[in-house]
Amino acid sequence: MFPEQKEFVLDESEFKAAVCTRRAGKSSGMVRQLLLAAISKPRSVVYFLALEQRSVRAVGWKNFIELVEDLDFPDDLIHMQHAKMEARLANGSIISFLGADDPNVQETLRGGAFSLVVIDELGSWKKERLEYFVYQVLAPALADHAGQISGIGTPPKEANSFLESIFKNPDWVTFKWSWKNNPHVDNEKMESVIDKVCNARNVDRNDPAIQREFYGKFVYDTHDLLFRFDDRNIVSNCPLEYPKYAIGVDFGYRDANAISVLAFNEQESNLTYVIDEYKKEEVTLTSFAAVIRDFLEKYPPASYYHTAADYGGLGRMLLEELKKHHGVYLNGADKREKGPTIRITDDCFRTQKLMVLERCRDTIKELSHLKRDLKKPDLPADGQQDHLSDALLYAFRLTSAFLYRKQEQKTEEQLMKEAVIQQVRNRLDMENLEKLTESGEYMPPPPHFDGGLNDFLT
């Protein structure tokens, strides 16, 4: 048993000052934050969370032990349980270090009462899993003590991460820094290290990895992604005045059913817009038929041939079922030459001729994370969620707006100049023709002949 809180040797304010100032720099700021929270709120629980248990021990628990040793904590004020990576303070607070990437581990924290949760390497967690963990498991558990979540991380190499969403959310207080802001780093040595890394990788300092790891910037790798899709391809609305629609459909059951709706008008603009989407797993054909019918009514295709549904596998049978029993008519998708289609689509993303409305969140998520096959770089790697991307490709093959070239409005002076130039060309052509006729190199057709080649020969 530990003594009650009144037997603490240091006054709380004095103790906090000691934690913050003693041997500054040796222990990370995160573990100092843990200790301060545990002291400030008696009988509270404080967590340090990382992806794996071994990284927790190497990064979190090791630094915490060093901090406790630096502070010369009396044994009656803190009890260290090294096997469990847990510290119990005399005021009843508990500081625990845990690897929490496993969903089963995350669920064990549901219903707790925490004063602080520190999460290490936010950029390395899977976005969906971390979003659920933070907002549905940890947030309710922090309410009892008006606690907070604190995290640190390096920007990840893929876009639309949870860490990036935090920086865009005004409800979070965020801070950014690079190695230049670290007072314990020798600038000359660090400059030398960066130069050596750049030389070894044959890149310059604008390389995405250099910008992320050394300068803490959100710069993404695109060479391993199937599409060069980024924030520049995301818009709030479709400005087409007279849009035509193309609809792509991808069938699934365990895999998601997906619909992608594209708006275009090759007479108006060279831009194509993804304006709506649908994605859901384990949907029966009857339910999916009703969804497709709603989309066809809301976005009537330019023609029957501006619909495209996957008919591979059981797709052909499903198309017949939709037609005969549900009155839904869809054209089969052209799935030939998928690689070239992907290259053209990728180039349209690169040149910003293919845009996605910001409300199409599932499409944006797929396009931002879809990786290419290393052996077949024009195709997506296996085992990925690419159902909306496939539906988009089916529909995009039906459009040609990206070939549109806007005709320039010419002034009267320009038109007169072009007419004069054409007259000169005609006169020169006539003079050349007369010279060729005189030399016998050109023989005009017989007079009054207006028939075909067979008539002339007879």
Side-chain angles (χ1 to χ4, degrees), residues 131 243 281:
E131 276 185 333
E281 299 174 354

Side-chain angles (χ1 to χ4, degrees), residues 48-60:
F48 177 94
L49 304 177
L51 280 170
E52 298 178 350
Q53 200 75 358
R54 59 183 178 181
S55 62
V56 172
R57 187 174 294 277
V59 178

Side-chain angles (χ1 to χ4, degrees), residues 159-308:
N160 300 309
S161 64
F162 183 73
L163 183 59
E164 183 181 8
S165 70
I166 286 176
F167 272 88
K168 293 180 178 179
N169 188 338
D171 294 332
W172 290 82
V173 180
T174 57
F175 307 91
K176 295 175 66 175
W177 61 89
S178 72
W179 64 269
K180 292 183 177 180
N181 305 115
N182 190 337
H184 304 285
V185 170
D186 185 310
N187 287 4
E188 291 186 4
K189 288 184 178 179
M190 183 58 75
E191 293 283 0
S192 176
V193 168
I194 296 175
D195 287 338
K196 289 179 180 178
V197 172
C198 289
N199 291 335
R201 296 183 55 230
N202 194 28
V203 298
D204 60 25
R205 295 195 178 206
N206 293 319
D207 178 74
I210 299 295
Q211 290 292 307
R212 289 193 307 270
E213 300 297 334
F214 290 97
Y215 298 96
K217 295 182 179 180
F218 287 94
V219 183
Y220 308 111
D221 288 335
T222 57
H223 63 272
D224 59 344
L225 297 178
L226 190 64
F227 297 110
R228 283 168 287 186
F229 172 88
D230 55 35
D231 289 344
R232 295 173 300 172
N233 299 107
I234 302 174
V235 294
S236 58
N237 66 309
C238 172
L240 295 176
E241 188 173 359
Y242 302 104
K244 301 177 183 179
Y245 301 112
I247 298 179
V249 179
D250 191 55
F251 294 113
Y253 183 72
R254 295 295 183 189
D255 292 335
N257 288 283
I259 300 175
S260 183
V261 182
L262 275 58
F264 67 99
N265 188 336
E266 65 276 2
Q267 303 301 321
E268 184 179 338
S269 170
N270 67 348
L271 300 182
T272 301
Y273 297 85
V274 181
I275 61 171
D276 209 345
E277 65 178 11
Y278 172 86
K279 182 180 180 181
K280 193 172 183 180
E281 299 174 354
E282 298 187 0
V283 177
T284 64
L285 184 60
T286 300
S287 299
F288 195 36
V291 173
I292 297 172
R293 190 181 297 109
D294 289 342
F295 272 84
L296 293 174
E297 292 175 357
K298 186 176 181 181
Y299 308 105
S303 73
Y304 164 74
Y305 295 103
H306 282 84
T307 64

Side-chain angles (χ1 to χ4, degrees), residues 324-336:
K324 292 181 178 179
H325 298 288
H326 301 282
V328 174
Y329 293 82
L330 295 174
N331 186 36
D334 187 349
K335 301 179 66 174
R336 297 170 297 173

